[in-house]
Amino acid sequence: MPADNTIFTEPLTTEAFAPFGQVIQTENADHYPINLGMTERFHDLARIELEGDKARPLISIFRGRPYALPLDLLMMERHPLGSQAFFPLSTHPWLVIVAQDNRGEPTRLRAFRPAAGQGVNIAINVWHGVLTPLEKTSEFLVVDRGGEGNNLEEHHFKHPWTIVADRPG
Amino acid sequence: MPADNTIFTEPLTTEAFAPFGQVIQTENADHYPINLGMTERFHDLARIELEGDKARPLISIFRGRPYALPLDLLMMERHPLGSQAFFPLSTHPWLVIVAQDNRGEPTRLRAFRPAAGQGVNIAINVWHGVLTPLEKTSEFLVVDRGGEGNNLEEHHFKHPWTIVADRPG
């Protein structure tokens, strides 16, 4: 029987992720044809949030080294001035670890396992783990915020959480 | 000998594309480690431009059907209120067709052939062809502008340009 500090991974779905931001995917998205029907536009898939002085959107690429499961999670962070979107540039597995907030501390952690073709936009000020590729070094296109002010808050756990693979059955 | 309306494709490079926007790629980009060294951030790779009323950045996915070469190009467009970034979600070949402006008409066309791992951000009001995958239906992550106002201008050529593969030799 797992200890109380165990988090099982789970599939990423729009509904389950709704408290934390948006799933970026073509499935069930609004779309319409452009370019004389040669292109289908899956439109406006994320709510980009940009607060504070001189805020502007950035496009960056993150190249992340892989973690192994079970994974000991010691720290989560949040960005009080902007959302942060991640879209994978490969089909390697990865995790999106998020949490609700309880008086300034992350609580009720979830570890989502995106399918191929799924990205996420983590909403402003939502607690999340660092980029977590599994198995292989993986690249992600990232849309987040540039500007002035402190856009990073970290929370270090006294006791680590342990992320393990999906609950059996 | 090719007719005067022939455009040869050419490799996409930062230098050649500079008049039209930015190449989005890790190669030669500013980068620094984050997440205790587990992630490398290739930082701020595109200049996102957002003008006009209620302007906001959008994240969308374009799914484009492929064109064959030689390609007859009948129309180019530009977006007077915002930049438009395209990053491929596959390694299929595609083209980025752009042009300079001459008194409201596209001139001196170029047809860039990105390598795997290269995207582009087409600057505000730069003439460009529609999304042009080659060979296979391909998806792209797109960051462009939402908001009010007319953000589309089209130019229809009296005589089509013909895009052909790279100049031999």
Side-chain angles (χ1 to χ4, degrees):
Chain A
M1 190 170 159
D4 286 335
N5 68 340
T6 298
I7 310 289
F8 291 98
T9 63
E10 58 184 304
L12 178 66
T13 66
T14 303
E15 295 71 22
F17 196 69
F20 309 107
Q22 302 88 44
V23 178
I24 301 171
Q25 61 182 359
T26 57
E27 192 178 323
N28 294 322
D30 286 337
H31 60 98
Y32 53 89
I34 58 175
N35 302 341
L36 300 174
M38 289 293 282
T39 303
E40 198 70 17
R41 180 177 176 125
F42 298 84
H43 180 66
D44 195 8
L45 305 176
R47 182 162 178 263
I48 298 177
E49 296 166 295
L50 304 165
E51 301 292 340
D53 285 348
K54 299 190 180 176
R56 65 188 179 94
L58 304 179
I59 297 177
S60 301
I61 293 174
F62 284 16
R63 179 182 294 156
R65 291 166 55 198
Y67 294 81
L69 295 183
L71 182 165
D72 281 342
L73 185 75
L74 290 157
M75 190 272 290
M76 296 186 83
E77 62 185 34
R78 58 180 177 177
H79 304 299
L81 298 177
S83 56
Q84 190 172 43
F86 295 89
F87 203 94
L89 301 178
S90 72
T91 57
H92 307 325
W94 58 300
L95 295 181
V96 179
I97 302 167
V98 289
Q100 294 183 37
D101 179 72
N102 180 25
R103 302 181 183 195
E105 296 192 4
T107 187
R108 304 182 119 209
L109 280 65
R110 308 282 289 271
F112 292 106
R113 180 175 40 70
Q118 286 184 317
V120 293
N121 185 49
I122 298 171
I124 191 169
N125 220 28
V126 164
W127 289 112
H128 58 277
V130 300
L131 181 65
T132 310
L134 301 174
E135 298 182 15
K136 295 188 178 177
T137 293
S138 306
E139 293 188 352
F140 297 79
L141 203 72
V142 176
V143 178
D144 61 2
R145 176 200 177 270
E148 298 185 349
N150 179 14
N151 191 24
L152 177 63
E153 182 181 354
E154 294 186 350
H155 180 84
H156 295 263
F157 295 112
K158 288 178 187 161
H159 306 286
W161 295 87
T162 301
I163 315 290
V164 300
D166 284 22
R167 191 185 294 272
Chain B
M1 190 171 159
D4 286 335
N5 68 340
T6 298
I7 311 290
F8 290 98
T9 64
E10 58 185 305
L12 178 66
T13 66
T14 302
E15 296 71 22
F17 196 70
F20 310 106
Q22 302 88 44
V23 177
I24 300 171
Q25 60 182 359
T26 57
E27 193 179 323
N28 295 322
D30 286 337
H31 59 99
Y32 54 89
I34 58 175
N35 302 341
L36 299 174
M38 288 293 282
T39 303
E40 198 70 17
R41 180 178 176 123
F42 298 84
H43 180 66
D44 195 8
L45 305 175
R47 182 162 178 262
I48 298 177
E49 297 166 294
L50 304 165
E51 301 293 340
D53 285 348
K54 299 190 180 176
R56 65 189 178 92
L58 304 179
I59 298 177
S60 301
I61 293 174
F62 284 15
R63 179 183 293 157
R65 291 164 57 196
Y67 295 80
L69 295 182
L71 183 165
D72 282 341
L73 185 76
L74 288 157
M75 191 272 290
M76 296 186 83
E77 61 184 34
R78 59 180 177 178
H79 305 298
L81 298 178
S83 57
Q84 191 172 41
F86 295 88
F87 202 93
L89 301 178
S90 71
T91 57
H92 307 325
W94 57 300
L95 296 181
V96 178
I97 302 167
V98 288
Q100 294 183 38
D101 179 74
N102 180 26
R103 303 182 182 195
E105 296 193 4
T107 188
R108 304 181 121 209
L109 280 66
R110 308 281 290 269
F112 292 106
R113 181 175 39 72
Q118 287 184 318
V120 293
N121 185 48
I122 299 171
I124 190 168
N125 220 27
V126 163
W127 290 112
H128 58 277
V130 299
L131 182 65
T132 310
L134 301 174
E135 298 182 15
K136 294 188 178 178
T137 293
S138 306
E139 293 188 353
F140 297 79
L141 203 73
V142 177
V143 178
D144 61 3
R145 176 199 177 271
E148 297 185 349
N150 179 13
N151 191 24
L152 176 63
E153 182 181 355
E154 294 186 350
H155 180 84
H156 294 263
F157 296 112
K158 288 178 188 162
H159 305 287
W161 295 88
T162 300
I163 315 290
V164 301
D166 285 22
R167 191 185 295 271

